[in-house]
Amino acid sequence: MLMPRQKTPDLSLPTTDGAGFTLSAETNARGTIICFYRGLHCPLCATYLTELTRLLPEFAERGVGALAVSSDDEDRARAMQEKVGGDGLRYAYDLPLATARDDWGLFISTSRGTTSIGIEEPALFAEPGLFLINPDQTLYYMSVQTMPFVRPHFRELLGAVDFAIANSYPARGEYTGDL
């Protein structure tokens, strides 16, 4: 299980811009948002990533970078990027499902066939997760869903970043002792 204030697993994936992503090589002053999304088949993911893309300049002003990640292949990741539009959001693809579940604690779902937007779901795919990783690769914040619904709002995360900066607020949920 991932724990706040503890180092996260490294994550290295190909990206649609060809540069690739390696978490341990990130240089954002205040950290990196990793937004795991279900895939091209998910209309809610497109809406969610559109909101993140819209707020990217505000996160960047605070020294926070962002990455969208799915287990989709490159073609589907590019299609999602085109659907969402906008500049600046990096898209990583080919997330191994074992990495999604075992390293990042994401839930895995099975296909239900064609979605409401007419796109076939992959046989298996990861459900959403949102992580804010500190520059030293320790976990600051995470939210993992079992469903595509009721995700954290990026505007609220932006407010939380502002509060954390202003108050030197540490990651919470770090206690691992006896209860």
Side-chain angles (χ1 to χ4, degrees):
M1 175 191 326
L2 294 177
M3 292 297 297
R5 303 185 195 176
Q6 306 262 332
K7 191 170 184 179
T8 65
D10 202 10
L11 184 64
S12 292
L13 295 168
T15 55
T16 57
D17 64 6
F21 172 86
T22 299
L23 180 57
S24 61
E26 285 293 285
T27 59
N28 301 301
R30 291 225 165 78
T32 304
I33 293 169
I34 300 178
C35 181
F36 293 97
Y37 68 99
R38 301 171 85 220
L40 177 63
H41 65 275
C42 179
L44 294 172
C45 294
T47 301
Y48 197 57
L49 294 174
T50 299
E51 178 67 4
L52 175 56
T53 301
R54 189 179 69 74
L55 292 173
L56 278 177
E58 293 185 56
F59 280 109
E61 287 173 12
R62 290 150 177 90
V64 177
L67 176 78
V69 180
S70 77
S71 59
D72 278 349
D73 64 22
E74 182 177 6
D75 290 340
R76 287 174 65 109
R78 285 186 185 285
M80 178 61 96
Q81 186 175 21
E82 289 172 16
K83 180 187 288 192
V84 169
D87 292 326
L89 183 58
R90 297 174 291 171
Y91 283 78
Y93 56 91
D94 285 343
L95 172 70
L97 293 175
T99 299
R101 183 185 60 197
D102 300 341
D103 291 353
W104 292 91
L106 301 180
F107 293 91
I108 307 299
S109 288
T110 58
S111 177
R112 295 193 56 208
T114 303
T115 65
S116 62
I117 58 172
I119 298 175
E120 187 76 19
E121 290 182 345
L124 296 172
F125 58 91
E127 290 295 341
L130 184 64
F131 297 76
L132 178 55
I133 310 299
N134 288 320
D136 65 358
Q137 205 180 324
T138 58
L139 178 65
Y140 187 80
Y141 166 85
M142 70 179 269
S143 177
V144 175
Q145 275 84 335
T146 61
M147 301 282 285
F149 317 111
V150 195
R151 300 183 202 188
H153 296 278
F154 290 112
R155 176 62 65 189
E156 290 179 17
L157 181 58
L158 191 60
V161 167
D162 287 341
F163 181 85
I165 291 168
N167 297 285
S168 298
Y169 199 77
R172 302 307 310 266
E174 76 287 356
Y175 181 77
T176 59
D178 292 336
L179 301 175

